């Protein structure tokens, strides 16, 4: 199969470009990692009690990582996620590129992927890695937690625990609901494969790029991905986005519901963190918009409003019917209309 991205080169490039993180001594680093690990374990019970979902006993525990490790894990996951896309591209080619062209091209795209991973590695506080074809795990990025808590000027222990509550909710979602991981991976792979343009449609897509690029700069839609999408693909993206909004919003609701009892400074943290989510400087905002990170921020807001709206109608147990099957996940039109989901699922 033709190799379009040299993922090993992406990993090494990303690790080389990523800043090392905040200045801490070796002893401080050990203490920080140990505390984050302890707080992640402490988050298990309050999240289970609040969400009324519990991760199975054999679910892998959270892992505290640095930026290079986060990059390596995500490069592996991106490779596995995009394998079907690469196979589709290869099948369409009338003639595969020669070995020299392939090697150079994969290095170029590997460098680009590495640069993207380096940028993202400074933004992510925690992530549940779906690891297509591998073992999923919850990653907590220690240098980013320290950098953010210092930037916000909040209590370090409170902030670290607050983030652990959010990320533990993701671990519960994907382990207590056994079908959810495969469902999300398969839908994402199918959409990615479908978005690879045919040779005959490249010109149309380029014209579409010129027309739609201003929307990406404004932060409308899902960034460059949305720019290249057809109307049908945008509809499918909206359905997948509804699911991601549910997951992010649910995690935000759980972390904030647990917060008042377990995180004394939760109101200050939430207020300052919401300001941070808007992006710091103009360059950062542009990159967020082009990469679709502005849409990610809307997922938290829309998803949290959906979860609270449903719970106001049918309570937490009624809301948890959402995890019954793919058919009970919210549709694109329902994520901003929780009553519509309640009527469809509960009658």
């Amino acid at each position: 199969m033709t190799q379009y991205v040299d993922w090993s080169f992406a990993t090494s490039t990303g690790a080389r470009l990523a800043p090392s993180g905040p200045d801490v001594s070796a002893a401080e680093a050990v203490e920080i990692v140990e505390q984050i690990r302890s707080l992640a374990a402490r988050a298990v019970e309050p999240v289970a009690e609040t969400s009324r979902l519990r991760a199975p006993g054999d679910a892998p525990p959270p892992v505290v990582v640095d930026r290079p490790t986060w990059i390596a894990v995500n490069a592996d996951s991106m490779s596995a996620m995009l394998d079907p896309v690469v196979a589709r591209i290869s099948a369409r080619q009338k003639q595969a590129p020669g070995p020299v062209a392939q090697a150079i091209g994969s290095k170029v795209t590997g460098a680009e992927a590495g640069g993207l991973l380096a940028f993202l590695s400074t933004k992510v506080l925690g992530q549940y890695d779906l690891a297509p074809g591998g073992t999923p795990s919850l990653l907590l990025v220690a240098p980013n937690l320290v950098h953010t808590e210092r930037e916000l000027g909040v209590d370090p222990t409170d902030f670290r625990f607050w983030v652990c509550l959010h990320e533990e909710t993701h671990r519960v979602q994907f382990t207590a609901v056994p079908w959810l991981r495969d469902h999300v991976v398969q839908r994402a792979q199918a959409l990615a494969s479908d978005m690879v343009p045919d040779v005959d449609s490249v010109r149309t897509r380029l014209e579409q790029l010129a027309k739609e690029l201003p929307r990406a700069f404004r932060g409308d839609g899902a960034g460059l991905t949305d720019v290249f999408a057809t109307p049908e693909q945008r509809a499918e993206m909206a359905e997948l986005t509804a699911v991601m909004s549910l997951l992010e919003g649910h995690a935000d609701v759980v972390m904030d519901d647990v917060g008042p009892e377990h995180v004394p400074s939760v109101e200050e943290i939430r207020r300052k963190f919401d300001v941070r989510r808007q992006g710091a400087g103009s360059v950062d905002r542009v990159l967020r918009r082009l990469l679709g990170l502005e849409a990610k921020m809307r997922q938290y807001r829309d998803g949290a409003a959906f979860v609270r709206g449903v719970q106001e109608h049918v309570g937490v147990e009624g809301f948890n019917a959402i995890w019954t099957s793919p058919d009970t996940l919210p549709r694109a039109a329902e994520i901003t209309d929780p009553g519509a989901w309640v009527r469809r699922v509960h009658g």
Side-chain angles (χ1 to χ4, degrees), residues 159-320:
F159 180 72
R160 295 169 194 176
F161 187 50
W162 187 69
V163 172
C164 286
L165 292 170
H166 181 101
E167 300 306 333
E168 171 62 19
T169 306
H170 285 318
R171 191 176 80 99
V172 167
Q173 291 165 346
F174 283 104
T175 57
V177 185
W179 54 265
L180 183 60
R181 171 178 170 247
D182 286 344
H183 175 74
V184 171
V185 168
Q186 288 166 9
R187 287 191 71 170
Q189 287 179 329
L191 179 59
S193 296
D194 189 51
M195 290 185 70
V196 177
D198 296 316
V199 174
D200 295 339
S201 67
V202 169
R203 180 177 177 180
T204 301
R205 294 293 181 90
L206 290 175
E207 292 173 350
Q208 184 178 344
L209 172 63
K211 178 182 177 182
E212 300 292 341
L213 192 57
R215 293 179 61 247
F217 276 105
R218 290 196 303 269
D220 301 333
L224 290 177
T225 304
D226 194 29
V227 165
F228 284 101
T230 65
E232 294 78 14
Q233 290 161 353
R234 286 181 187 168
E236 178 57 28
M237 286 173 64
E239 296 299 326
L240 183 57
T241 298
V243 176
M244 303 311 294
S245 296
L246 162 70
L247 300 177
E248 296 295 357
H250 180 234
D252 259 16
V253 167
V254 170
M255 75 192 295
D256 284 347
D257 284 353
V258 172
E261 183 177 349
H262 295 271
V263 185
S265 59
V266 64
E267 290 187 6
E268 177 192 7
I269 291 173
R270 167 57 73 188
R271 175 173 52 81
K272 291 183 174 180
F273 194 73
D274 283 347
V275 172
R276 178 185 181 270
R277 277 179 170 173
Q278 297 173 12
S282 58
V283 174
D284 186 66
R285 286 195 180 96
V286 169
L287 286 172
R288 285 173 180 267
R289 289 168 181 173
L290 291 178
L291 296 174
L293 298 182
E294 293 284 350
K296 176 78 167 178
M297 299 305 103
R298 289 193 294 275
Q299 287 178 15
Y300 291 101
R301 183 185 64 239
D302 293 345
F306 171 82
V307 173
R308 292 205 181 280
V310 170
Q311 290 182 355
E312 286 174 4
H313 281 89
V314 294
V316 175
E317 293 296 347
F319 167 79
N320 280 348

